[in-house]
Amino acid sequence: MIHNVTSATRLLDLLTAFGDDPRVRVVFTCTGSSAFDKGIAEFIAEHDLFFIPWEAALRERFDLAVSTSRGGELEKISAPLVSAPHGAGYNKKLSKNPESGIRGRGRGRGIRAVRRMAAARR
């Protein structure tokens, strides 16, 4: 399950454990739960990943689900779930901006820019 490009990169690293095993069919989906989702479609196309929409994945049964993020409604997928961190900073705390509904720094904006925007609104 892909959440953002960083988690997708880590997921590909983990999937090398399966190598070219013909018994394993890998299907990718995206929970749509990350505030940092820019570039996911391009990543999927660039790596030629077999991708199905989240809604379709929820209607399927899988032998195993692997996620490198705990975001989204992972409990809804019909499969045993293996979760792994996606790298440095994984356990960072993100606060939610109640005005925008966006967690943390927002979409590609640095924390200083967000603070300046918030101060300008006051």
Side-chain angles (χ1 to χ4, degrees):
M1 291 179 277
I2 297 172
H3 297 272
N4 53 48
V5 173
T6 302
S7 72
T9 301
R10 176 67 174 138
L11 189 56
L12 290 182
D13 291 343
L14 294 174
L15 292 176
T16 60
F18 296 104
D20 293 327
D21 190 328
R23 299 169 297 170
V24 177
R25 183 176 135 213
V26 179
V27 178
F28 293 86
T29 191
C30 182
T31 63
S33 62
S34 178
F36 308 102
D37 60 359
K38 184 177 180 183
I40 291 175
E42 294 82 2
F43 185 90
I44 291 166
E46 180 182 329
H47 291 87
D48 196 28
L49 306 179
F50 182 73
F51 181 85
I52 62 173
W54 179 245
E55 295 75 25
L58 294 178
R59 293 189 298 268
E60 299 288 330
R61 295 187 70 101
F62 299 97
D63 295 321
L64 180 66
V66 180
S67 177
T68 51
S69 177
R70 293 190 176 94
E73 299 176 309
L74 302 178
E75 73 282 356
K76 289 187 174 183
I77 203 82
S78 182
L81 175 64
V82 172
S83 180
H86 63 261
Y90 177 74
N91 292 319
K92 66 187 172 288
K93 181 177 175 165
L94 295 175
S95 61
K96 187 171 181 176
N97 179 341
E99 291 178 16
S100 69
I102 296 174
R103 296 183 331 151
R105 294 191 276 172
R107 295 182 183 262
R109 293 191 176 118
I111 193 67
R112 290 185 189 115
V114 171
R115 286 182 182 148
R116 281 193 302 271
M117 289 171 35
R121 288 185 191 148
R122 291 185 203 144

